[in-house]
């Protein structure tokens, strides 16, 4: 078997065998296949695509290139949730405690932010003292004891994905549905949960810019998970506006805690309840109405907030900041952004809003960058809101005032103000299951 022949076969649009896919991926991980040949294969896949069967095989080979976590020592159906990324997407910090408070164990591995999208682990580390790197024994023991732990991904999970993603990032092959699906699902399969809910974001702040592409990605990932014995579902959620009002790590933690205390923004609260309800459905806790009532109950009576505090405390976090947001370290400087005209906010370019937060220090432009946990943006006005010239529509936060100029320019570029109030998009566009697509 030669890599040259595999590249040529996919270049010509033919279907690769399981053995050829395994040869290419495992050879690249082992170092026997050079970057330039794997780059050529990735471009051929980008241009010619893959069948569902090819993508399922690629996913399994990538999953098995590193450690496969066995969660069987934890009793019950373990349910995971994965978001394809967005701006202001702090749902894990709300959803995981809700689900755990309903008696479903959540043993979750999450990632860090890169580019304009934030990462759950960075948000957790904004809580002073929080450990996100636990041994397997500590991880399992914590989930058995309190039903919940969210930690960083092990360096040995889906090793092939790390190597292939780094290559895709510099060869313009990131935006390919089979490669996105295999990247996400290889990590999810390796993480060992029995059921997986996918939050596939769609809009200007997401990988998927239109509904049909988002549904296709969701359908493919649900198919892969189902083929590997996992209970699967996906929601297509809106990312043409940031979730909630806060963007930035400690700011997003504060807003998540507000939701868990019953005083968070309506859009974030509703998306979290939808995600939690669908996770409970996958865990077999009842029909949709029953699961929704369970999720609302633990949110309203404070049980989910208590569960969240238990998780942070177990992982060394200072829970006083969760109970009192004023105790979070604040940015040294702030700058108010004013509307430049009367009218309505008719469009957000959410990616630009995310980039503005990165320019303030809230995210990374390279993997080596450090994060200013207090930096970020608070939105006082969002899509559909009326604004008046000179009215404050957002506040930027940073520890270095020199960062404001570029961030303000980028943020203002992200907004369109028009005379007519726009029709607001739905929070949830569709639900994808092995049985098909339900559009809302």
């Amino acid at each position: 078997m030669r890599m040259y022949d595999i590249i040529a076969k996919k270049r010509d649009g033919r279907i690769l065998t399981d053995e050829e896919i395994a040869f290419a991926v495992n050879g690249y991980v082992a170092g026997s296949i050079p970057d330039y040949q794997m780059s050529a294969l990735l471009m051929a896949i980008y241009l010619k695509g893959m069948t569902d069967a090819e993508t399922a095989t690629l996913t399994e080979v990538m999953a098995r290139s590193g450690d496969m976590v066995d969660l069987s020592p934890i009793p019950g159906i373990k349910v995971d949730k994965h978001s394809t990324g967005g701006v202001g997407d702090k749902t894990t910090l709300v959803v995981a405690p809700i689900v755990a408070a309903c008696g479903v164990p959540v043993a979750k591995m999450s990632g860090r932010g890169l580019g304009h999208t934030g990462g759950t682990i960075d948000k957790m580390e904004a809580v002073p003292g929080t450990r996100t790197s636990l041994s397997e024994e500590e991880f399992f023991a914590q989930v058995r004891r309190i039903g919940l732990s969210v930690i960083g991904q092990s360096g040995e999970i889906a090793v092939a994905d790390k190597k292939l993603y780094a290559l895709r990032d510099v060869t313009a092959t990131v935006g390919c549905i089979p490669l996105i699906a295999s990247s996400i699902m290889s990590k999810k399969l390796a993480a060992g949960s029995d059921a997986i809910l996918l939050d596939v974001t769609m809009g200007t702040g997401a990988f998927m810019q239109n509904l049909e592409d988002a549904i296709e990605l969701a359908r493919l990932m649900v198919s892969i998970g189902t083929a590997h014995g996992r209970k699967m579902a996906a929601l297509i959620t809106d990312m043409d506006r940031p979730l909630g009002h806060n963007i930035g790590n400690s700011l997003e933690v504060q807003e998540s805690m507000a939701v868990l205390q019953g005083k968070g923004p309506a859009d974030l609260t509703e998306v979290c309840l939808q995600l939690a309800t669908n996770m409970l459905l996958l865990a077999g806790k009842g029909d949709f109405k029953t699961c929704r009532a369970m999720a609302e109950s633990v949110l309203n009576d404070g049980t989910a907030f208590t569960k969240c505090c238990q998780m942070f405390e177990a992982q060394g976090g200072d829970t006083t900041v969760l109970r009192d947001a004023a105790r979070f370290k604040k940015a040294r400087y702030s700058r108010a952004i004013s509307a430049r005209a009367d009218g309505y906010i008719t469009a957000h370019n959410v990616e630009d809003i995310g980039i503005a937060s990165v320019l303030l220090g809230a995210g990374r432009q390279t993997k080596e960058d450090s994060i200013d946990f207090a930096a970020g943006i608070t939105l006082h006005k969002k899509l559909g809101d009326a604004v008046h010239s000179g009215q404050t529509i957002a506040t930027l936060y940073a520890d270095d005032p020199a960062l404001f100029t570029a961030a303000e320019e980028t943020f203002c570029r992200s907004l369109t103000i028009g005379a007519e109030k726009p029709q607001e998009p739905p929070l949830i566009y569709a639900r994808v299951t092995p049985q098909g697509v339900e559009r809302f």
Side-chain angles (χ1 to χ4, degrees):
M1 197 175 294
R2 296 192 309 162
M3 187 65 170
Y4 178 95
D5 300 321
I6 295 170
I7 295 167
K9 186 175 181 181
K10 181 48 68 178
R11 177 202 65 196
D12 295 340
R14 291 184 286 155
I15 296 171
L16 302 180
T17 67
D18 293 354
E19 293 76 17
E20 287 167 334
I21 293 170
F23 176 86
V25 173
N26 292 334
Y28 182 58
V29 171
S32 59
I33 290 172
D35 279 357
Y36 58 83
Q37 284 192 311
M38 182 52 75
S39 297
L41 180 60
L42 290 171
M43 186 58 75
I45 292 170
Y46 184 94
L47 295 172
K48 298 296 184 178
M50 296 184 105
T51 66
D52 285 7
E54 282 179 296
T55 308
T57 297
L58 174 61
T59 304
E60 182 166 14
V61 172
M62 290 167 62
R64 295 190 178 281
S65 66
D67 294 339
M68 297 289 287
V69 178
D70 177 10
L71 296 180
S72 61
I74 301 170
I77 297 174
K78 280 72 67 179
V79 183
D80 198 356
K81 188 271 298 180
H82 177 82
S83 170
T84 55
V87 176
D89 182 1
K90 69 279 290 182
T91 57
T92 292
L93 296 179
V94 178
V95 172
I98 290 175
V99 173
C102 291
V104 175
V106 179
K108 180 165 175 52
M109 294 184 183
S110 289
R112 298 187 180 278
L114 185 63
H116 74 280
T117 62
T120 297
I121 295 304
D122 297 322
K123 302 184 212 309
M124 290 183 65
E125 290 178 353
V127 178
T130 302
R131 296 169 57 224
T132 58
S133 180
L134 304 183
S135 69
E136 186 174 281
E137 291 75 19
E138 290 175 307
F139 183 47
F140 285 10
Q142 181 174 319
V143 178
R144 283 195 295 263
R145 186 173 74 256
I146 65 172
L148 173 63
S149 183
V150 180
I151 63 172
Q153 290 170 353
S154 158
E156 298 306 311
I157 291 284
V159 174
D161 177 61
K162 291 181 176 63
K163 290 179 67 71
L164 288 174
Y165 192 90
L167 204 54
R168 287 167 58 208
D169 201 31
V170 295
T171 58
T173 54
V174 169
C176 170
I177 287 177
L179 295 178
I180 294 171
S182 58
S183 174
I184 292 170
M185 290 305 297
S186 64
K187 295 189 287 283
K188 293 292 104 180
L189 294 178
S193 286
D194 305 302
I196 303 164
L197 177 69
L198 301 164
D199 175 7
V200 179
T201 53
M202 186 208 82
T204 58
F207 270 131
M208 299 294 106
Q209 302 284 306
N210 64 74
L211 182 56
E212 296 313 312
D213 283 349
I215 287 174
E216 173 58 20
L217 175 60
R219 185 202 62 76
L220 183 55
M221 291 193 292
V222 166
S223 172
I224 291 168
T226 302
H228 288 88
R230 304 304 203 271
K231 295 180 179 179
M232 298 292 303
L235 295 182
I236 312 298
T237 63
D238 178 58
M239 195 44 71
D240 270 326
R241 54 194 158 174
L243 262 180
H245 296 284
N246 288 355
I247 302 151
N249 295 284
S250 66
L251 291 169
E252 292 189 40
V253 175
Q254 292 171 46
E255 192 164 52
S256 300
M257 297 308 107
V259 173
L260 287 171
Q261 292 171 315
K263 51 190 179 184
D267 61 343
L268 177 60
T269 301
E270 178 58 24
V271 170
C272 288
L273 283 169
Q274 290 274 1
L275 293 168
T277 298
N278 278 274
M279 290 175 73
L280 294 170
L281 273 170
L282 289 173
K285 299 297 279 188
D287 60 14
F288 185 90
K289 184 178 180 180
T290 300
C291 292
R292 173 75 184 214
M294 290 176 67
E296 289 179 348
S297 175
V298 298
L299 190 62
N300 294 335
D301 69 11
T303 309
F305 178 64
T306 299
K307 185 64 68 176
C308 184
C309 291
Q310 287 176 343
M311 177 186 73
F312 275 98
E313 187 172 27
Q315 293 178 215
D318 177 5
T319 58
T320 61
V321 300
L322 304 182
R323 295 183 170 89
D324 180 4
R327 298 178 70 96
F328 268 107
K329 177 182 177 291
K330 301 294 189 293
R332 293 173 63 195
Y333 301 95
S334 64
R335 177 177 290 186
I337 306 297
S338 301
R340 298 178 177 180
D342 292 341
Y344 295 90
I345 296 178
T346 58
H348 283 305
N349 184 311
V350 181
E351 181 177 0
D352 279 344
I353 296 176
I355 291 170
S357 73
V358 173
L359 293 173
L360 293 167
R364 297 180 183 83
Q365 299 185 64
T366 70
K367 289 188 292 184
E368 293 73 29
D369 286 351
S370 59
I371 280 181
D372 175 4
F373 291 126
I377 302 170
T378 294
L379 304 173
H380 306 299
K381 297 291 183 178
K382 291 179 61 174
L383 184 68
D385 288 341
V387 297
H388 304 289
S389 181
Q391 180 181 23
T392 298
I393 57 175
T395 304
L396 311 185
Y397 300 96
D399 269 352
D400 180 355
L403 300 176
F404 285 135
T405 301
E408 180 176 0
E409 180 182 336
T410 303
F411 179 84
C412 291
R413 185 179 70 213
S414 76
L415 299 182
T416 302
I417 296 177
E420 299 293 327
K421 182 177 175 65
Q423 183 176 352
E424 292 187 40
L427 292 171
I428 312 289
Y429 287 92
R431 182 171 184 262
V432 180
T433 67
Q435 288 72 45
V437 179
E438 180 184 5
R439 296 172 187 255
F440 303 127

